[in-house]
PDB file of all heavy atoms in Angstrom:
ATOM      1  N   CYS Q 252       0.777  17.618 -17.589  1.00 76.00           N
ATOM      2  CA  CYS Q 252       1.369  17.609 -16.267  1.00 76.00           C
ATOM      3  C   CYS Q 252       2.280  16.406 -16.040  1.00 76.00           C
ATOM      4  O   CYS Q 252       3.035  16.354 -15.054  1.00 76.00           O
ATOM      5  CB  CYS Q 252       0.309  17.650 -15.180  1.00 76.00           C
ATOM      6  SG  CYS Q 252      -0.730  16.165 -15.074  1.00 76.00           S
ATOM      7  N   GLY Q 253       2.222  15.419 -16.952  1.00 76.00           N
ATOM      8  CA  GLY Q 253       3.081  14.273 -16.848  1.00 76.00           C
ATOM      9  C   GLY Q 253       2.709  13.204 -15.847  1.00 76.00           C
ATOM     10  O   GLY Q 253       3.436  12.238 -15.617  1.00 76.00           O
ATOM     11  N   ILE Q 254       1.516  13.337 -15.222  1.00 76.00           N
ATOM     12  CA  ILE Q 254       1.081  12.377 -14.220  1.00 76.00           C
ATOM     13  C   ILE Q 254       0.498  11.129 -14.871  1.00 76.00           C
ATOM     14  O   ILE Q 254      -0.343  11.217 -15.739  1.00 76.00           O
ATOM     15  CB  ILE Q 254       0.013  12.999 -13.288  1.00 76.00           C
ATOM     16  CG1 ILE Q 254       0.627  14.141 -12.470  1.00 76.00           C
ATOM     17  CG2 ILE Q 254      -0.609  11.973 -12.361  1.00 76.00           C
ATOM     18  CD1 ILE Q 254       1.721  13.692 -11.502  1.00 76.00           C
ATOM     19  N   PRO Q 255       0.963   9.908 -14.492  1.00 74.00           N
ATOM     20  CA  PRO Q 255       0.405   8.675 -15.041  1.00 74.00           C
ATOM     21  C   PRO Q 255      -1.070   8.550 -14.614  1.00 74.00           C
ATOM     22  O   PRO Q 255      -1.411   8.777 -13.417  1.00 74.00           O
ATOM     23  CB  PRO Q 255       1.247   7.574 -14.401  1.00 74.00           C
ATOM     24  CG  PRO Q 255       2.525   8.258 -13.994  1.00 74.00           C
ATOM     25  CD  PRO Q 255       2.134   9.655 -13.613  1.00 74.00           C
ATOM     26  N   LEU Q 256      -1.945   8.185 -15.488  1.00 77.00           N
ATOM     27  CA  LEU Q 256      -3.359   8.141 -15.205  1.00 77.00           C
ATOM     28  C   LEU Q 256      -3.728   6.946 -14.343  1.00 77.00           C
ATOM     29  O   LEU Q 256      -4.824   6.865 -13.819  1.00 77.00           O
ATOM     30  CB  LEU Q 256      -4.140   8.131 -16.535  1.00 77.00           C
ATOM     31  CG  LEU Q 256      -3.884   9.337 -17.420  1.00 77.00           C
ATOM     32  CD1 LEU Q 256      -4.768   9.257 -18.665  1.00 77.00           C
ATOM     33  CD2 LEU Q 256      -4.107  10.646 -16.677  1.00 77.00           C
ATOM     34  N   GLN Q 257      -2.819   5.974 -14.207  1.00 73.00           N
ATOM     35  CA  GLN Q 257      -3.094   4.786 -13.430  1.00 73.00           C
ATOM     36  C   GLN Q 257      -3.410   5.126 -11.967  1.00 73.00           C
ATOM     37  O   GLN Q 257      -4.141   4.412 -11.291  1.00 73.00           O
ATOM     38  CB  GLN Q 257      -1.929   3.825 -13.470  1.00 73.00           C
ATOM     39  CG  GLN Q 257      -2.175   2.485 -12.749  1.00 73.00           C
ATOM     40  CD  GLN Q 257      -0.928   1.630 -12.699  1.00 73.00           C
ATOM     41  OE1 GLN Q 257       0.185   2.066 -12.908  1.00 73.00           O
ATOM     42  NE2 GLN Q 257      -1.121   0.365 -12.407  1.00 73.00           N
ATOM     43  N   ILE Q 258      -2.853   6.218 -11.450  1.00 75.00           N
ATOM     44  CA  ILE Q 258      -3.031   6.535 -10.050  1.00 75.00           C
ATOM     45  C   ILE Q 258      -4.495   6.923  -9.727  1.00 75.00           C
ATOM     46  O   ILE Q 258      -4.890   6.978  -8.549  1.00 75.00           O
ATOM     47  CB  ILE Q 258      -2.085   7.676  -9.579  1.00 75.00           C
ATOM     48  CG1 ILE Q 258      -2.470   9.023 -10.206  1.00 75.00           C
ATOM     49  CG2 ILE Q 258      -0.667   7.349  -9.865  1.00 75.00           C
ATOM     50  CD1 ILE Q 258      -1.727  10.204  -9.637  1.00 75.00           C
ATOM     51  N   PHE Q 259      -5.302   7.172 -10.753  1.00 79.00           N
ATOM     52  CA  PHE Q 259      -6.698   7.551 -10.534  1.00 79.00           C
ATOM     53  C   PHE Q 259      -7.635   6.359 -10.669  1.00 79.00           C
ATOM     54  O   PHE Q 259      -8.843   6.521 -10.687  1.00 79.00           O
ATOM     55  CB  PHE Q 259      -7.117   8.653 -11.497  1.00 79.00           C
ATOM     56  CG  PHE Q 259      -6.229   9.866 -11.415  1.00 79.00           C
ATOM     57  CD1 PHE Q 259      -5.339  10.174 -12.432  1.00 79.00           C
ATOM     58  CD2 PHE Q 259      -6.269  10.713 -10.321  1.00 79.00           C
ATOM     59  CE1 PHE Q 259      -4.510  11.263 -12.379  1.00 79.00           C
ATOM     60  CE2 PHE Q 259      -5.441  11.816 -10.223  1.00 79.00           C
ATOM     61  CZ  PHE Q 259      -4.554  12.142 -11.241  1.00 79.00           C
ATOM     62  N   GLU Q 260      -7.087   5.155 -10.815  1.00 76.00           N
ATOM     63  CA  GLU Q 260      -7.906   3.946 -10.987  1.00 76.00           C
ATOM     64  C   GLU Q 260      -8.873   3.754  -9.813  1.00 76.00           C
ATOM     65  O   GLU Q 260     -10.057   3.485 -10.028  1.00 76.00           O
ATOM     66  CB  GLU Q 260      -7.005   2.719 -11.113  1.00 76.00           C
ATOM     67  CG  GLU Q 260      -7.767   1.398 -11.226  1.00 76.00           C
ATOM     68  CD  GLU Q 260      -6.851   0.207 -11.178  1.00 76.00           C
ATOM     69  OE1 GLU Q 260      -5.906   0.216 -10.375  1.00 76.00           O
ATOM     70  OE2 GLU Q 260      -7.117  -0.763 -11.893  1.00 76.00           O
ATOM     71  N   VAL Q 261      -8.380   3.875  -8.612  1.00 76.00           N
ATOM     72  CA  VAL Q 261      -9.223   3.660  -7.427  1.00 76.00           C
ATOM     73  C   VAL Q 261     -10.102   4.906  -7.185  1.00 76.00           C
ATOM     74  O   VAL Q 261     -11.265   4.804  -6.874  1.00 76.00           O
ATOM     75  CB  VAL Q 261      -8.358   3.367  -6.174  1.00 76.00           C
ATOM     76  CG1 VAL Q 261      -9.248   3.268  -4.916  1.00 76.00           C
ATOM     77  CG2 VAL Q 261      -7.605   2.070  -6.372  1.00 76.00           C
ATOM     78  N   VAL Q 262      -9.487   6.105  -7.348  1.00 79.00           N
ATOM     79  CA  VAL Q 262     -10.242   7.356  -7.140  1.00 79.00           C
ATOM     80  C   VAL Q 262     -11.445   7.431  -8.024  1.00 79.00           C
ATOM     81  O   VAL Q 262     -12.550   7.826  -7.599  1.00 79.00           O
ATOM     82  CB  VAL Q 262      -9.298   8.557  -7.406  1.00 79.00           C
ATOM     83  CG1 VAL Q 262     -10.120   9.846  -7.397  1.00 79.00           C
ATOM     84  CG2 VAL Q 262      -8.188   8.609  -6.351  1.00 79.00           C
ATOM     85  N   GLY Q 263     -11.300   6.996  -9.290  1.00 78.00           N
ATOM     86  CA  GLY Q 263     -12.401   7.127 -10.259  1.00 78.00           C
ATOM     87  C   GLY Q 263     -13.399   5.990 -10.229  1.00 78.00           C
ATOM     88  O   GLY Q 263     -14.397   6.070 -10.940  1.00 78.00           O
TER      89      GLY Q 263
END
Side-chain angles (χ1 to χ4, degrees):
C252 67
I254 294 296
L256 303 182
Q257 184 186 17
I258 69 172
F259 304 108
E260 177 188 39
V261 176
V262 172

